[in-house]
Amino acid sequence: MAKKSSKRVAKRKTKRSRSSKGKAGVPQEVTPSRHLKENLEMKDLVAVRNLLEKRLKEGGTTVYEIPRDSIKINELTMNEALKRINDVALDLVNQIKITGSPTFKIPNRSSSNIIYDEKQDLLLLGQKTTNKSLLTLTSAQDSARLMKVLEIIHELLRKKKHMTKREVYYGDVNLFQDQKFSDASIEDASTLLRTTRNSTGIVAKARGSAVGRLRLKDRNEIIDLDAQGSGAWSITPMIDQVEVLESDAEFILVLEKDAAMMRLIEEKWWRKYPCIALTAEGVGNVATRMFLKKINRDLRLPTFSVVDADPYGHYIYSVYIRGSKRLSYETPFLATPDMHLLGVLSQDLDEYGIDYSCRIPMNKIDMKRLDDILAEPYVQANKRWKEDLELMKKTKMKAEIQALSSHGIEYLTDTYLPNKLYSGDWI
Amino acid sequence: MAKKTNTSTSKKHSEPSRRKSRAKSEVKSISGAPQEVIRQGSVAEFFRKRTQLVGFDFGLNKHTQYCIEFLDNSLDAIESFYWKESKRHPEYTFKLKDDLLLQNFSYLAGGVSEKDLQDLEERLNSERVDDAGYSLTEDGTLAILPEEHKEDEELIIEEELPKTDESSPEDDEEAKKLRMLQKKDEERAQEVQNILEGIKNFIFPIQVLVEREPFVIIQLTEREAQDVFADASQTKKEVLEYDFEIFDNGTGMSPTDLEKFGKYLASSKSQKLRQTRGSQGFGSPSAFSDAQNTTGKPVTVVSKDINHIYGIASQFYTTSKNNKEYVVTPTEIDCPFEHGTYIRLQYINVKYRKGYIDSYIQMTALTNPHITIIFLDPYGGETIYPRRVSRFPREPTYALPHPSSVNIGDFQDLLRTSNKLSLSVFLQDNFVRLSSSMAKDILFNAEFELEKQLNLLNLDHGVITWAHNELEKIYFIRKEKRIFGRAKKPREKWVVYSIEKSEDLKQYWDIILPFNKILDDIKRKNKEIKKLNKKISTLSVKKEISSIKKEISTLEKGIAANLKEINRQKKKLSQIVKIFSLNADSEVSDVKITDKLEENVKELLISQARPNSLTQKQTEALFKAFKAQKFMKPPSDPAVPIGASVLETTLIKEYNLNPAFRTDLFHDIEYIIEPLTQKESQNFSYRILYKFLQEPYLNPNFSTKDLLLDDREHELEEYRTLFLKFDALYNIEEDFIYAHTRPPTSGKGLAFVVEAGIALSPKIPQAKTAQQVLLRYVNRTPKMRDNSDCAIWKGCQMVNWKNYKLDTFDNGIPKGSIRILVNVSGPYVHLMFKSQSKNALAEDEILLKEIKYCLETIGRKIRNYQNRKIRRENRRKRSKVIEKYIPIFVSSLVNIIKNTDLEQVPDRKELESQIYMRLEGKLEVPEEKPESSEKGTENFEKIKEKINKQKKALEKEKEPTITKEKAPNSELKRESSISVKPRSILKKENTSQSDVKHIPSHAPKSVEKVDDIIKKWKKGAEHPKSAKKIIKVKDSDIIKKKTIKKNTPKVRKSTQSKLTPRKAFTSKISAPKVTTQTKSSEPPKKLTKPSSKIRIITTDTILKTLENQNWVNIKDLIKLLDIKDVKDARYLQLKLKQLTREKKVLLTIQSGRTYWKLNKAEVNL
């Protein structure tokens, strides 16, 4: 069964792929179609260098112009944020005194209110608002939770402290009942205040880590990401307190998986190819994304991501470049739109001769996710990305980064990444 | 019933067989006088020993039985007094204005004195509060019943007392004793004096009211019983002697009546069937018997008829011979009352407990709200049920028996006792719904029946034998004038001819043979019908039954055709016989034949017979024809229901319920019932409303500036709380009350009406038993025993209450805070009682069905109410959920503000209460964008247009019927627009300020119209919400303004003028002329064409919308008229009904839905 299906796939591939002619008859032994170079040096990676130069020439950080019909979100200083909360509170008191019915006007975060800004390639929030009144059955609970969250934020800002979402949830378990409710309220609160979540003092749990050619100043301490031993520096949620000191990296590599990160660390890969590597262990969390955004903006380095060759991997990539829908209002502060998808692309599977035993047929859920991603306007706008996804749809096969290890443990670091970077074969 | 036995025959028959057993008595009888074996007892004797048959069995229920008997009598007496009196003086009423006095009336606290009365008069004069009450009639309509004059109405008591056979000799005895006693009269004088004193003391607290209020007062006092009488072995319970006193101011008894009172079967009601409470004449005599049986003390009766100067006092025993033994002879005394009866008796019974007499009286009061009832219990408590309505019910008429209810025995009896000269008159006089033509038909049919039996044919000019066999001899008999014997003048005599000529015979047989065949055919068809009917009873499939019914009807048609044919043939025969050669030769002289024929012919000619001398054959034939005839249903006027509105009123007042103002769409008149029991708040609301309504209009010099200066905060608060109260009353705690009266129906040939009322409210105490829930009434009399035997009970069980979202007990009677009141009225019920004690109605199919339908009608209303309640309950639950979060929310909010230096920290409780207020709907929502100045002018423009438009509309409606409608409408509005008016007043002020000329200060009537206009304006406003909001903000200001003007003369003025329309309304009914006068007094109005786009529901708008439409449903109309409010829709419905009555609009009902269409012919006119 497996043989037959792979035969069929192989046949199809012969027609499509550029360099697998003549090999179609021997499907069992998959040999890389591309001529792979060994022992590539940093100086050989011309494509990356060109990109870097181009970026440096562009100079400066891009200034976002918020479209007219979207909501303006500011990063706020603590005092500004405090003032906004005060305004909201006073308004509520007035409402109670006059009508007896306090109502929040919160920008709507439903998908219907999310705008894709083609010009800047960002997801943004529209101007629709939802009213949350204490005196309606549907939103009474929400209103109370939101008020509680506002109270906590107020306290945090006054005391200049930070708190994780989880902590907020434990602040009043009876009221919040489940962390998903408190998380929603936290998001509501930051939208209500028209600011980033980071400005509210509530931080996500730190889950990302970074290594590479970078020196940071976190509060008063200097951290060298090159000297982290066998581990990596875990990205702090309090990015606002981090300062970039110096770096001689030439590119940034964002990895989906901790395992790939492990490979790099063990090889001390960034010493050979000066770079900064970071991972969020899955979907980029806010802290990681903010950190990435920060170093990307400050150092103006070309940024690449290495994800699994499956719809979920592509989704992770899309989150880095466009932001998630849930936090679309914070997109300008989280997204890294000029990031490239280095791999693993569907076409790479053949080009790098990934064995069929390492490829996994996609299930229904994968197919659905794939269709969803394909339907996104920003995917449709990107021709290469679209092609690659359509190829994946045709083969109905996916593979993880680890599939590269079928050629050997060092294949990823020694062969795959350098060759990819060398050939400029990214999206 | 008379059991006069032939003593001699009975002796002969019984002696041999009973000799042994009667031996002793024979020995004792010394003389040879004929020995009576069968002795006739008297009714009195029978019932004296068996008082339990009538309900006087030892136990707690006996207390109630005493109350039942005498209270019923009293109520009947009061009613008959009123009816009699109001016939003599049409405007007579009890002075029913005094129910203000009854509000806080207490017998034990000294009752009412003359001074109280005077105070009341003064108060009424000063406040001008009209207490005429609502003009409720017994069946919810205001139609005045044409005064009918019945000859026999006057003889209620005087003529109808039965004369028993034994009365005359015993009366003599009585008279002797009377004379004896009269000698000792002087000795008795003191006793009479004592009786009188007793009454005076008894009546004293209500002395003033005796001539003003219809009332019954009952007192029960207990004292230690003498051991001899209190047979403790019977029961272990405590036994006491009771003193039962009752007084009513009904029609008293004349001295002659009083003599008969207390004897068995002496009744003012038993003779003819009529809707009365009592009927037989068992009650009070049995009570007397029981009283004497237990205590041995005489009964005291004092009674006065209004036609006599003196009342009669007497004290007597009743005897087993059904007569009286006087202790105090009937003595003329100066009564402390003009008319009425006082009875006092003592009896022994187990110790009285609450829940017997008092609950009976409570139930009685519910259905007799036109009479005040006072009960004083043995333990110093008093229960007073003040009169609730201001009208007496219509007087029920006597009911003649309906043919369908008569059996042959009754029929024979009637024939025997009739002194009428012809049967036709007899039939018409003795039965209801029997016309002369119908009587003729009956007689014709009876004759035909006789023809068949006697084998004779009546040919009008003579009678011919009806042969079935060709061998039979044919005779013809006719009347001829002959001279007999010594007489010189010819006299009529039956002459018999025999027909022998062959030609004649041939002609005769030519007709008779087919004639007989037709008859056989009829017989055959009748048999078939019988067969088919039998078959129907075995079938259960509807289709089959209907097909058989069709067959039957075709057969019946065939019979009818046959009968026609027979008549034709008969006529033909009669023609032919005329030509027959009849001469002296053919005359039959054989006496045997002639006599027999003569006899038969006489029997045949039933129409010439006298009712009291009919032969057996004739009676049977007549009864057969009589029963075969189809009659109209009996008339409904002998049954007088209590009336749905009265039932509702009493239920509301009894349980102090708060109905939302109710609009009854199914009757012509909408009425509301004042739920506020306190007069004060009533006055209060009137005053407010009048102010809002009138002042700007009535005072041309009125200026709003004057009012703006006022700042009487406390009055403002007063008004605000009042409005909140209204809001609570009308919107939130609505109770369910609905009563329904079925149209009269008949059973057993007599009319009856079923009506029911249901009250549902948390205020009604939860019922523990089904008995407490279902209150059964028969002719307004509560029935408390033998519940489950009763048809009413069963009818109630038949209803599937689950459909109406009501919980039931296991026996199928609803449970909870609910009361179901079912009343069956009509003379019919007297035939339906299961026993002498009249506690339960027999289960008649029609009766059960009526009860079921009636309750189901109400049930449907309950379902609506329950649904509404559930919705409200859900809302309440929701608000409970929300309430939980309010403190959390507020504390967070306060915490935030507390930690900022900027603001003063608000009070947490204040905020919370503010939110709670809003949650409970007590806080108004202010306008978000205060553009009141602009909008104000806009509104002002709109109102101007509206008013003009409205005036136009009102002018168009000139028919008196509309004005009739208007008045009750205005009454309705008084309630319904309470919340509306204060809002709209702002507009009015605006108009009045700048547009005084446009609104003339017209007569009071116009005020009502303005009210109308405002209401309609409010309804028509396109954006009522925004409008409301502005006004709400200003609300307080307005009220403030109003309060300044509140100086007493104006209040009076306003009340006065408000009341006038209502008075005009009542007068309109009696004299429609008045309406035209009031109409003409209206000042002429300048009309400007309305150009507004706002929808308002007027006759014009409805007609206009209908103009271009074909048949329209109300839903479509609502869309077309752009109606967004339920009230408006309701109003539209009312309007449509009114238009339908005026025939401006046509109406059809298709598949259960009603459609309207413009009646173009009518409208164009």
Side-chain angles (χ1 to χ4, degrees), chain B residues 990-1006:
Chain B
N990 281 337
T991 35
S992 64
Q993 215 172 358
S994 49
D995 200 36
V996 178
K997 281 172 197 169
H998 263 272
I999 301 139
S1001 57
H1002 26 64
K1005 189 138 200 338
S1006 62

Side-chain angles (χ1 to χ4, degrees), chain A residues 85-86 89-90 93 96-102 104 134-137 140-141 143-144 147-148 151 154 158, chain B residues 878 881-882 885-886 888-889 892-893 895-897 899-900 902-903 906 910-911 914-915 918-919 923-924 926:
Chain A
I85 296 182
N86 287 344
L90 287 179
V93 170
I96 292 173
K97 279 183 177 168
I98 296 164
T99 67
S101 169
F104 294 107
L134 180 63
L135 295 185
T136 53
L137 186 66
Q141 210 171 357
S143 303
M147 203 65 230
K148 182 79 192 170
E151 190 196 344
H154 193 260
R158 266 189 301 119
Chain B
R878 261 189 284 157
V881 171
I882 293 169
Y885 293 104
I886 291 174
I888 300 172
F889 186 90
S892 296
L893 185 57
N895 279 344
I896 290 175
I897 292 178
N899 292 314
T900 52
L902 301 165
E903 253 321 289
E910 191 194 323
L911 292 180
Q914 194 78 358
I915 300 174
R918 176 61 194 273
L919 187 62
L923 206 64
E924 308 295 352

Side-chain angles (χ1 to χ4, degrees), chain B residues 530-542:
Chain B
K530 258 190 192 174
K531 257 190 200 170
L532 289 172
N533 275 331
K534 258 188 193 174
K535 210 176 168 188
I536 279 183
S537 61
T538 59
L539 286 173
S540 58
V541 185
K542 266 191 182 177

Side-chain angles (χ1 to χ4, degrees), chain B residues 532-533 536 543-554 556:
Chain B
L532 289 172
N533 275 331
I536 279 183
K543 264 191 182 174
E544 290 174 18
I545 289 177
S546 65
S547 73
I548 289 180
K549 272 186 181 165
K550 257 187 194 171
E551 266 180 61
I552 291 177
S553 73
T554 52
E556 273 168 353

